[in-house]
Each structure stands twice: as structure tokens, then as C-alpha cells.
Amino acid sequence: MDSTPSLTLTCETCDKEFTVPPSRSASRYCSYPCVRWNRVSGTEQTVADELASRGISYIPQSKVGPYFPDFVVGNVMLEVDGDYWHSRPGMSERDARKNAWYIEHGFDVIRIWESEVNVGDFSKLDVLGGSAQCELELMSTVR
């Protein structure tokens, strides 16, 4: 019989319960894939700072259906697309499927490209105003 004490925690990504030894009581994720989903890129942090400077409330990388949008702002899924990754073969189709799922489930979508963020172009955020609860007309912006 194993007498090693353990703690039961809940994963911040998937809500699955998992056990850890007391020495890992600060653990937040049940597995490497869940950790990976919660990494914030520098570009995403820049967008987060811009949202905060505008007084726009958001939830970062929260699970919405099968996806983890970069930001959830009210009913809007805000995706920050890296220029390299999202220009690779097959990615525009993947992003289109993701957009379609969001729209089919009643969400609006805003996509901001890394190159836009790098030059300080946050104009796509203007429709959000200062309220996370605003109603937006459908906006699916894909380059």
C-alpha cells in the first residue's frame, strides 16, 4: 500500500482532476498538452496590453468547444495569428474551419496578424469599444 500523500488538483485548461505529490502543489495543468495550450506569445501579450489599455475585459486562452481562442471578449473570439505559422500550407483552411465553428455556435471572430501588431495597428479592436458585453456585427477578418 502506497502511503505517499497526494493532492487532487483541477487542470486550468481541461478541468480534469489530477493528483500530484505535495511538492508539486503549485501545478496548474494535468499534462504537457494542457501546458502548451496556455503559453502566451509575445505578440499575444502585446495585444493583451492593448486590450487592458482600452479597458476591455477578456479571458485569455479559455476552452471554447474544441478550441482555445487567444482571447475571449464577451461573444467575440479574438485570434492573434503569427505570420509564419498561419501562412504555412493548410493553415488558412484550418483557420477557416475554426472561424466557421465559432460562427456556427453564435460567436463573432476577429483575427489580428502579427505584422499588424508589430506596426501598432490595433484598428480591428476598435469595434470592441470599452465593453466586453457589446454586440458586434459579424466580423470574420481573414487575410
Side-chain angles (χ1 to χ4, degrees), residues 11 28 37 41 58 69 87 93 96:
C11 179
R28 297 169 38 203
W37 278 112
S41 72
Y58 63 88
S87 63
E93 293 84 2

Side-chain angles (χ1 to χ4, degrees), residues 67-113:
Y67 300 110
F68 290 83
D70 295 320
F71 301 96
V72 178
V73 183
N75 197 45
V76 178
M77 303 298 110
L78 176 57
E79 295 283 4
V80 181
D81 295 339
D83 293 337
Y84 170 75
W85 181 255
H86 288 269
S87 63
R88 292 174 48 99
M91 290 305 293
S92 63
E93 293 84 2
R94 178 186 165 274
D95 290 340
R97 283 191 306 273
K98 196 172 183 181
N99 288 353
W101 188 94
Y102 289 145
I103 292 164
E104 182 180 311
H105 289 85
F107 299 102
D108 295 321
V109 180
I110 297 175
R111 287 190 171 274
I112 299 179
W113 284 86

